[in-house]
C-alpha cells in the first residue's frame, strides 16, 4: 500500500493534533472532548452524547465450527451485514488481517484499528449501526453490536448467542484482552 494514514484530532479548546494511529487519535479526542477526522476531512469519531441504547438488530447469533473459527464468523457476519457474502476463513488462513479483509470486501469504508481504546469510546460505532469486532487473547473474537445504560450487547461465536454483558464486566474483560478493536466508517471513497 505505502500510504501513511493521518488522523486529525480537534480538541474542544481548538487545539489540533496529528496521529498516525486511529486508536491514539480516538483516545486523544475522547480525553479532550473533541473530534477525529481523516485526511479527507471526514468525521471518524466525535465526543458527543450517545443514545441511551442501541442495538444492531440485523446481526444475529452465529456459531464457530471446526471449519470456521470465531474470528471468521465475526468477519463473515460483518460482511453479510454490509451485503457481502464471503467465507473469510481461507483469507485468515492465508495470513490476511481483519483490517485487510474488511478493506478488500466492503466498498466505500475507512477501516479503523482502534487498539487500546476504551469500551465507552468505541460504543460510538454501534450507536451508528456499525459493529465493532473485538479480538481476544485466546484467538477468539466477538462483535459488539449494541448497548444500554448498564450493558453491552455482544455476539459471541463461541456460544452462537447475542447477549448482554454488564458494562463494568465487559470493560474489565475487554481490557484484560488488550482492548483490540477493529471497526469502520462508511461513505469514504
Amino acid at each position: 500500500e505505502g500510504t501513511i494514514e493521518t488522523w486529525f484530532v480537534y480538541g474542544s479548546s481548538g487545539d489540533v493534533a496529528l496521529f498516525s494511529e486511529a486508536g491514539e487519535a480516538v483516545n486523544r479526542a475522547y480525553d479532550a472532548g473533541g473530534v477525529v477526522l481523516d485526511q479527507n476531512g471526514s468525521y471518524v469519531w466525535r465526543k458527543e452524547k450517545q443514545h441511551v441504547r442501541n442495538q444492531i438488530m440485523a446481526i444475529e447469533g452465529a456459531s464457530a465450527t471446526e471449519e470456521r473459527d470465531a474470528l471468521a464468523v465475526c468477519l463473515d457476519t460483518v460482511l453479510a451485514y454490509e451485503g457481502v457474502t464471503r467465507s473469510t476463513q481461507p483469507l485468515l488462513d492465508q495470513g490476511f488481517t481483519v483490517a485487510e479483509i474488511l478493506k478488500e470486501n466492503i466498498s466505500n469504508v475507512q477501516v479503523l484499528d482502534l487498539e487500546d481504546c476504551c469500551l465507552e469510546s468505541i460504543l460510538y460505532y454501534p450507536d451508528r449501526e456499525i459493529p465493532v469486532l473485538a479480538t481476544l487473547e485466546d484467538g477468539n473474537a466477538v462483535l459488539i453490536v449494541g448497548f444500554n445504560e448498564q450493558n453491552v450487547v455482544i455476539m459471541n461465536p463461541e456460544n452462537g448467542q447475542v447477549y448482554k454483558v454488564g458494562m463494568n464486566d465487559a470493560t474489565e474483560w475487554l481490557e484484560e484482552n488488550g482492548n483490540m478493536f477493529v471497526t469502520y466508517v462508511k461513505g469514504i471513497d
Side-chain angles (χ1 to χ4, degrees):
E1 215 177 55
T3 57
I4 297 172
E5 292 175 331
T6 305
W7 310 97
F8 298 87
V9 175
Y10 293 86
S12 56
S13 60
D15 56 320
V16 180
L18 297 170
F19 293 89
S20 59
E21 301 289 332
E24 291 176 7
V26 168
N27 281 337
R28 171 66 69 86
Y30 179 78
D31 293 340
V35 299
V36 179
L37 281 76
D38 67 13
Q39 51 213 15
N40 301 316
S42 299
Y43 281 98
V44 171
W45 188 91
R46 351 175 158 196
K47 178 88 175 209
E48 60 186 16
K49 187 160 173 38
Q50 294 181 158
H51 294 95
V52 176
R53 69 179 62 85
N54 194 45
Q55 183 173 340
I56 305 167
M57 299 309 289
I59 293 181
E60 298 176 350
S63 294
T65 62
E66 283 185 28
E67 296 79 35
R68 197 170 71 138
D69 68 21
L71 183 55
V73 170
C74 287
L75 279 166
D76 292 352
T77 301
V78 170
L79 293 180
Y81 174 67
E82 291 297 340
V84 177
T85 304
R86 180 91 200 244
S87 174
T88 57
Q89 188 67 60
L91 298 172
L92 290 167
D93 292 344
Q94 292 168 43
F96 287 96
T97 66
V98 169
E100 289 169 338
I101 292 169
L102 292 175
K103 279 180 199 164
E104 286 299 311
N105 289 283
I106 308 174
S107 57
N108 210 28
V109 298
Q110 174 78 51
V111 176
L112 305 168
D113 180 349
L114 300 179
E115 184 178 339
D116 294 329
C117 288
C118 67
L119 176 61
E120 189 177 339
S121 69
I122 63 103
L123 293 178
Y124 172 89
Y125 300 98
D127 194 35
R128 282 150 189 81
E129 301 289 314
I130 301 168
V132 176
L133 191 153
T135 54
L136 308 174
E137 289 184 340
D138 65 4
N140 284 305
V142 298
L143 288 179
I144 299 166
V145 297
F147 62 91
N148 63 28
E149 299 98 320
Q150 286 94 28
N151 302 292
V152 177
V153 184
I154 304 264
M155 191 284 278
N156 189 341
E158 284 210 65
N159 61 21
Q161 302 293 312
V162 174
Y163 58 93
K164 293 175 182 158
V165 177
M167 192 67 72
N168 293 338
D169 291 341
T171 298
E172 187 177 315
W173 176 57
L174 292 164
E175 280 174 3
E176 286 169 359
N177 279 280
N179 279 348
M180 305 287 285
F181 304 116
V182 177
T183 190
Y184 55 93
V185 287
K186 300 177 187 179
I188 310 294
D189 292 320

